[in-house]
Amino acid sequence: MSSNSSPDHPADHRSGPQAAASSGARADSADVQLPVDKELVLKVIPLPGDCNANGDIFGGWVMAQVDLAGSVVPARYTQGRMATVAVNQFIFKQPVRVGDLLSFFSSVEKVGRTSITIKVEVYAERIRSQRIYVKVTEASLTYVAIDEAGQPRPLPNPDGSHLLAY
């Protein structure tokens, strides 16, 4: 681990049980609080079939769940078909384990003419340490409203009109 790492950098969480024991902290927990300014959009428990060769949950499985969670809020804006057009950022901060209760929170980062960018944060409640949460993943994804032909279309206003004309 480099000496210029920060608490938000994933490598900082890999210091091992010896470092945690010497500091009095647990090996993988900073005992973070769940966000109150974001919407809880999904809760799921990964199962043994979702594991990679190391025994942790496969990153692709986590990515799929983030995409599902990220689509909840944009669905309210698009009021119709939409597609994921970009994964702008994806950070695995901690491993996800079998039996973790994962909570996915999302918030709007940006609303454009045809698209909406969403931030998703994922917290794990470890099965053996109930009510102690670890931030395991964060991501930014962009979704675009599409018409029946799969082409981008303007986002509608809540009154049914378009936000911006073509």
Side-chain angles (χ1 to χ4, degrees), residues 24-46:
R26 297 192 15 213
D28 65 349
S29 175
D31 193 17
V32 298
Q33 299 296 312
L34 295 177
V36 294
D37 60 337
K38 294 172 178 46
E39 182 176 354
L40 175 63
V41 292
L42 179 67
K43 282 193 154 201
V44 66
I45 299 173

Side-chain angles (χ1 to χ4, degrees), residues 9 11-12 32-33 40 47 58 81 88 131 134 140 142 145 158 161 165:
H9 190 276
D12 293 336
V32 298
Q33 299 296 312
L40 175 63
L47 300 173
F58 179 58
R81 290 183 67 197
N88 308 308
R131 302 210 187 276
V134 179
S140 171
T142 300
S161 64

Side-chain angles (χ1 to χ4, degrees), residues 43-129:
K43 282 193 154 201
V44 66
I45 299 173
L47 300 173
D50 304 316
C51 283
N52 62 22
N54 297 321
D56 295 320
I57 299 304
F58 179 58
W61 181 89
V62 175
M63 292 180 85
Q65 302 306 307
V66 167
D67 191 20
L68 289 171
S71 70
V72 172
V73 172
R76 296 183 191 130
Y77 285 77
T78 62
Q79 298 175 10
R81 290 183 67 197
M82 67 178 173
T84 309
V85 294
V87 177
N88 308 308
Q89 180 183 41
F90 210 103
I91 301 171
F92 295 102
K93 296 175 132 334
Q94 290 278 331
V96 175
R97 301 179 185 140
V98 171
D100 285 351
L101 175 59
L102 300 181
S103 298
F104 296 72
F105 292 85
S106 72
S107 60
V108 175
E109 286 188 322
K110 178 184 173 189
V111 177
R113 187 177 78 82
T114 63
S115 65
I116 180 166
T117 301
I118 301 294
K119 181 173 185 175
V120 178
E121 296 178 2
V122 185
Y123 295 83
E125 182 178 357
R126 303 295 192 200
I127 194 166
R128 291 188 176 96
S129 54

